[in-house]
Amino acid sequence: MNLRPPYDALLIALCYVVIAVLWVAFSDWLLVLLVPNPALVRNLQTYKGVGFVVLSGGMIYLLMRVANREQHRTEMQLRRLSRAVEQSASVVIITNDRGEIEYVNPRFTEVTGYTFDEVIGQNPRILKSGATSPEEYEHLWKSITSGHDWHGEFYNRRKDGGYYWVSATISPIRDTQGRITHFLAVQEDITGRKHAQENIERRNRELLLLNRVISAAASSLQVEEVLSVTCRELAITFNVPQVVIALQGQDSDTLDIVAEYGSLHPGAESALGLTIPLHGNPAIECIMESHEPCAFEDVQRDPNMAVMRPILQRRGVASTLLVPLLVRNQLVGLIELDTAEPRRFAPEESALAKHVAIAVSQALDNARLYQKVADHNDLLMRAIAEHTEELQRVKDRVEAILNNSPDAILLLCSDGRIETANPSFYRLFGIEEDVYNQPISQLVDAEDVLALRRALKVAAEEARVMRIEVTARRGDGSMFDAGIALSPFEERGMRRLVCVLRDITPLKEVERMKDEFVSNVSHELRTPITSLKLHHYLLGVNPDKRNDYMDSLAREIERLADIIENLLMLSRMDQDHISLQLAPLDIDTLLMQYVSDRALIAEDRGLELVHKPLAGLPLVQADRGLLGQVLSILLTNAFNYTPSGGRVEVRSLLAEEDGCRRVGFSVTDTGYGIPLEEQPYVFDRFFRGQVAKETGSAGTGLGLAIAREIVERHGGRIEVASSGREGEGASFCVWLPADCE
Ligand code: ADP
């Protein structure tokens, strides 16, 4: 059994009491039992009282010893406890139940600076810093007076005015009756930890601020957005009512406030748009020189604020921290942290503001670079767009040329295979399927294949433009005359050929007509000249018939003159050397004159010539001589191509067309007529129809061409109508504009 000191002493005492009682009651017995000698028993019985006394004394002695040992042990413990408290690293304060300090340990003095004697009898509130609220103190007092422990932290003031943090536990101390007689406060100095924690928190806040500003700077190239985020974050972190940012203005002599957050007074005017002079401004010179933030605690009095003071005072700024924004060591702006109450900016605050300014400066630089790149990009894009547009225009033009060219244009490989062909090619050849990779030689007559291949070879190998005329074959097998031009060019190191293929049928026709004309003209000129020569000869050999010969000579000369006149007339018209002498003309008067002039000739030819005028015919603006020439040509043709016995009728005409009245005349005969297939060509130059050839009538094929030129120059038109059947004759109508509305 392991009993604690008071109990083992009692037990020993109890044992002694029991032994003593047993001794008194049973000592005789024991003596008889234990001692065989009766004499000795008797002797011993006489000392029974002595034994009792000895026993009692021993017992008391023993009790005393036990009691002493307990006291000693308690003293030892108290001493140990006292040493522990004295040497404790914790602050120990013991107050009485009224809160008056009765004991503080040496650590208390170390921490607070107050000595033991200075605080005895004092209330611990001498340490109050004001950081703990009265409610908190009330709660503390309630807890400990109601017998509970209180745990918490105090921000206290030392004797020297400095501050320190403690973590405290305050416990009530009760007496044996359970009454609270004292309070024990054990406190740990946690100032270091608190400072470290505050440092961490401050660092965190700074990092958060930097992070927000840098994130804004990194995520946005919009300067305004970065500046606005910076103002807001700085105002929150530094707990200042207003932050503004000014950037270098257009004239570079001022800083213009371009961003702001918060205001110094309710309803205060915005600072945006205000300008800060750069030169002759000591505050700006201060940050320009040092490249460091400058704090001005008293805007009102600081001499460096002389220039800025009016601006700041108007806004109600009491203290300001100016932080330079530097891009490549050049001041481009500043951040202004403003307060309405005087404030001192700590060095670490300046340092943090500087870090923020570096991030903002970087963002400004990036934004400017980006703007430069964007501007350059814009320029580039515009140039590309213009070039693309130009290319598109060129492409459109080339396409328009290719698509609308009447000639077939093909792109050929050097060996003559077709790569591409324009729409005209397909139209001209009447082909629908793609001709890609087909040899061009298959489009020409077999007889021309060799010549074409030779031309291709020379063009490709000698890089010479080749021209060749071939007979081309359409898709339906029909042939036409084609002129081919082969132009070589280089494309990515490959020789290719542009082939322009033209239908030269009309040219060939013109050529043929020209040949025919030359032969006709030569014939027509030769005939009168031969006749002239003959009559000239006859005049010499047979002067009696002089008059007859002279008449013939005159007619031939006349005929020759006509032919030459016609040729000259066309030539003059081609060169635009003929001007119309317009004057109001009565068509019927003209018709009547010509009909009457030709009456004898008609009679001579056995033809009936009739004029049918129209009443109320309006006048026309016309060149009388030229219009008479048209009528003359038509009458001549009617006489030439109507056999004797026929009839020639001349009529004046009136019609209305598209709101315009038209006046005209017609010459209708009952002659050979004009075959339908010839009708499209009768107005072409040098064209002479079958009937002209068969009848051998004099002519050059120029009459109707001249007539059409003259009529068209009057703004009119000439038409032919004929059934094409012999004997049904032909009719020519001339229409001229009268008075158009
Ligand atoms: P030319 O009469 O000198 O041959 P034109 O130009 O006057 O030349 O006429 C062209 C052709 O038109 C004539 O060759 C003829 O074939 C045809 N022609 C013109 N007028 C008539 C007509 N009244 N009847 C039949 N054919 C005509």
Side-chain angles (χ1 to χ4, degrees):
M1 205 161 95
N2 192 14
L3 293 171
R4 295 217 306 264
Y7 301 115
D8 60 358
L10 281 173
L11 195 67
I12 292 167
L14 195 66
C15 287
Y16 274 102
V17 169
V18 170
I19 292 167
V21 170
L22 286 174
W23 178 261
V24 172
F26 301 108
S27 58
D28 293 345
W29 264 76
L30 278 172
L31 286 171
V32 172
L33 276 174
L34 296 172
V35 186
N37 187 345
L40 192 57
V41 170
R42 274 195 298 278
N43 277 341
L44 285 172
Q45 278 173 339
T46 32
Y47 294 104
K48 197 166 79 176
V50 177
F52 179 75
V53 171
V54 170
L55 207 60
S56 301
M59 190 178 76
I60 288 163
Y61 171 75
L62 275 172
L63 280 172
M64 292 277 289
R65 274 207 64 178
V66 168
N68 274 347
R69 210 173 61 222
E70 283 311 307
Q71 191 186 351
H72 177 70
R73 199 181 292 161
T74 306
E75 274 174 10
M76 287 296 287
Q77 278 177 347
L78 277 174
R79 262 205 295 277
R80 266 203 302 273
L81 205 58
S82 168
R83 268 202 309 277
V85 170
E86 290 284 311
Q87 292 170 23
S88 169
S90 304
V91 173
V92 177
I93 306 166
I94 298 172
T95 69
N96 60 22
D97 57 352
R98 291 184 305 281
E100 292 158 357
I101 298 172
E102 289 191 355
Y103 171 79
V104 290
N105 68 348
R107 177 71 178 144
F108 173 89
T109 305
E110 276 173 36
V111 173
T112 65
Y114 289 106
T115 61
F116 182 88
D117 294 332
E118 282 171 328
V119 292
I120 292 303
Q122 299 277 2
N123 191 293
R125 77 168 68 94
I126 57 164
L127 302 169
K128 264 169 71 172
S129 67
T132 309
S133 67
E135 293 77 28
E136 184 71 2
Y137 280 120
E138 199 176 323
H139 170 70
L140 181 162
W141 191 246
K142 266 188 191 161
S143 290
I144 57 176
T145 52
S146 60
H148 297 107
D149 291 346
W150 181 90
H151 303 282
E153 289 179 353
F154 289 119
Y155 184 55
N156 286 342
R157 189 162 53 193
R158 282 196 295 269
K159 186 184 171 188
D160 61 7
Y163 293 90
Y164 67 98
W165 277 96
V166 287
S167 165
T169 301
I170 303 176
S171 312
I173 302 171
R174 295 168 189 274
D175 63 9
T176 47
Q177 275 85 44
R179 277 190 318 235
I180 294 171
T181 57
H182 292 85
F183 298 107
L184 169 68
V186 180
Q187 301 178 341
E188 302 292 335
D189 184 355
I190 56 167
T191 310
R193 198 180 77 201
K194 273 283 183 189
H195 281 163
Q197 199 174 323
E198 273 172 5
N199 273 342
I200 289 168
E201 278 170 13
R202 187 170 47 78
R203 195 76 199 129
N204 279 347
R205 277 201 309 278
E206 291 172 5
L207 286 173
L208 197 66
L209 167 69
L210 280 173
N211 184 35
R212 287 201 180 128
V213 173
I214 290 167
S215 307
S219 65
S220 171
L221 287 164
Q222 298 296 316
V223 174
E224 296 77 22
E225 196 184 324
V226 175
L227 299 184
S228 130
V229 169
T230 305
C231 287
R232 188 188 67 218
E233 294 302 328
L234 279 171
I236 294 167
T237 310
F238 283 77
N239 193 24
V240 293
Q242 189 173 46
V243 175
V244 301
I245 293 180
L247 294 181
Q248 198 148 27
Q250 296 285 358
D251 57 3
S252 78
D253 276 347
T254 56
L255 294 175
D256 300 345
I257 297 180
V258 293
E260 72 173 338
Y261 178 83
S263 65
L264 294 166
H265 302 289
E269 265 182 41
S270 166
L272 290 175
L274 294 177
T275 56
I276 301 165
L278 264 177
H279 303 295
N281 183 344
I284 298 295
E285 275 158 17
C286 160
I287 58 170
M288 266 168 118
E289 272 167 26
S290 65
H291 284 187
E292 293 290 333
C294 289
F296 301 94
E297 277 174 51
D298 191 350
V299 167
Q300 185 94 26
R301 287 193 193 82
D302 198 317
N304 286 327
M305 281 282 120
V307 175
M308 288 184 71
R309 188 173 298 123
I311 310 164
L312 296 178
Q313 274 185 341
R314 203 169 54 190
R315 290 167 45 214
V317 179
S319 301
T320 187
L321 176 67
L322 303 182
V323 192
L325 292 171
L326 302 160
V327 169
R328 295 188 194 106
N329 275 334
Q330 292 293 312
L331 183 81
V332 295
L334 63 83
I335 304 176
E336 197 184 293
L337 285 85
D338 300 321
T339 62
E341 302 298 330
R343 167 166 173 175
R344 207 170 63 82
F345 288 95
E348 59 268 20
E349 286 182 315
S350 292
L352 177 60
K354 186 182 170 184
H355 281 125
V356 170
I358 290 169
V360 174
S361 302
Q362 188 61 54
L364 286 175
D365 199 21
N366 288 349
R368 277 173 197 204
L369 281 175
Y370 174 78
Q371 196 53 50
K372 261 191 189 169
V373 172
D375 288 350
H376 190 252
N377 206 29
D378 269 4
L379 268 177
L380 220 61
M381 291 305 284
R382 268 204 297 278
I384 288 171
E386 276 168 20
H387 274 97
T388 311
E389 219 171 273
E390 183 57 34
L391 280 176
Q392 189 61 43
R393 264 202 299 276
V394 171
K395 182 173 171 273
D396 289 349
R397 268 188 232 138
V398 171
E399 263 177 19
I401 292 169
L402 283 176
N403 293 343
N404 299 302
S405 162
D407 298 333
I409 301 174
L410 302 103
L411 188 66
L412 306 179
C413 296
S414 55
D415 60 359
R417 275 177 300 107
I418 300 170
E419 286 202 346
T420 49
N422 71 341
S424 284
F425 166 81
Y426 291 96
R427 266 198 308 274
L428 191 61
F429 281 83
I431 296 174
E432 278 177 9
E433 62 275 11
D434 193 0
V435 288
Y436 174 73
N437 221 19
Q438 294 192 14
I440 189 168
S441 53
Q442 74 174 30
L443 298 169
V444 302
D445 188 48
E447 280 186 10
D448 294 326
V449 168
L450 217 62
L452 179 59
R453 283 196 184 138
R454 213 175 296 129
L456 284 167
K457 194 166 182 291
V458 173
E461 288 179 2
E462 296 175 25
R464 273 168 50 196
V465 175
M466 294 297 290
R467 292 177 203 282
I468 180 174
E469 284 183 8
V470 297
T471 307
R473 191 190 299 111
R474 293 192 185 88
D476 61 6
S478 61
M479 301 296 214
F480 65 97
D481 291 319
I484 293 179
L486 298 167
S487 316
F489 73 100
E490 294 275 337
E491 192 188 54
R492 295 192 201 102
M494 298 262 289
R495 177 69 44 83
R496 284 193 165 74
L497 301 166
V498 173
C499 166
V500 179
L501 191 148
R502 177 174 293 180
D503 181 356
I504 55 169
T505 310
L507 274 181
K508 286 275 174 193
E509 181 60 18
V510 168
E511 233 172 67
R512 190 192 56 70
M513 281 170 70
K514 189 189 75 193
D515 292 345
E516 201 177 298
F517 166 74
V518 171
S519 125
N520 276 350
V521 167
S522 334
H523 175 73
E524 292 306 324
L525 289 176
R526 211 176 289 131
T527 309
I529 288 169
T530 312
S531 180
L532 283 174
K533 275 182 183 168
L534 176 67
H535 284 94
H536 182 257
Y537 168 74
L538 286 173
L539 262 178
V541 292
N542 201 354
D544 300 344
K545 288 196 170 180
R546 184 175 181 277
N547 286 344
D548 292 348
Y549 294 150
M550 284 302 281
D551 286 349
S552 293
L553 274 172
R555 274 198 304 275
E556 291 304 339
I557 288 168
E558 186 67 26
R559 200 169 158 204
L560 202 58
D562 274 357
I563 294 169
I564 291 166
E565 185 52 41
N566 276 350
L567 285 170
L568 288 174
M569 178 80 176
L570 267 176
S571 166
R572 279 202 302 275
M573 281 197 282
D574 282 348
Q575 292 166 36
D576 233 358
H577 284 169
I578 286 200
S579 57
L580 302 183
Q581 306 296 319
L582 296 177
L585 176 70
D586 178 17
I587 291 283
D588 269 325
T589 311
L590 184 77
L591 296 182
M592 206 170 66
Q593 268 176 11
Y594 271 79
V595 167
S596 114
D597 286 353
R598 299 283 169 112
L600 278 177
I601 303 171
E603 200 184 316
D604 190 44
R605 301 253 181 124
L607 297 172
E608 184 188 358
L609 179 60
V610 188
H611 170 217
K612 294 209 166 167
L614 200 67
L617 199 67
L619 300 178
V620 289
Q621 291 291 325
D623 185 312
R624 184 187 174 83
L626 290 175
L627 206 60
Q629 195 175 346
V630 173
L631 181 58
S632 168
I633 290 166
L634 296 180
L635 282 173
T636 306
N637 280 350
F639 288 179
N640 280 348
Y641 305 121
T642 306
S644 176
R647 172 188 158 89
V648 175
E649 186 179 290
V650 180
R651 275 173 177 270
S652 49
L653 305 168
L654 179 63
E656 197 167 311
E657 205 177 88
D658 302 333
C660 274
R661 287 205 296 175
R662 290 189 177 269
V663 176
F665 62 86
S666 64
V667 177
T668 310
D669 63 60
T670 57
Y672 304 111
I674 305 170
L676 292 176
E677 65 275 12
E678 284 185 2
Q679 285 176 25
Y681 307 109
V682 290
F683 296 104
D684 289 353
R685 291 178 187 190
F686 316 119
F687 178 81
R688 301 213 74 209
Q690 205 56 37
V691 69
K693 290 169 192 163
E694 281 169 6
T695 56
S697 71
T700 55
L702 294 173
L704 288 179
I706 292 170
R708 186 172 67 176
E709 282 287 337
I710 293 171
V711 172
E712 284 180 355
R713 274 161 198 261
H714 277 83
R717 66 173 192 274
I718 184 166
E719 296 165 350
V720 61
S722 172
S723 68
R725 286 189 291 273
E726 201 179 317
E728 290 187 10
S731 180
F732 285 86
C733 292
V734 171
W735 290 102
L736 298 172
D739 46 348
C740 289
E741 283 156 17

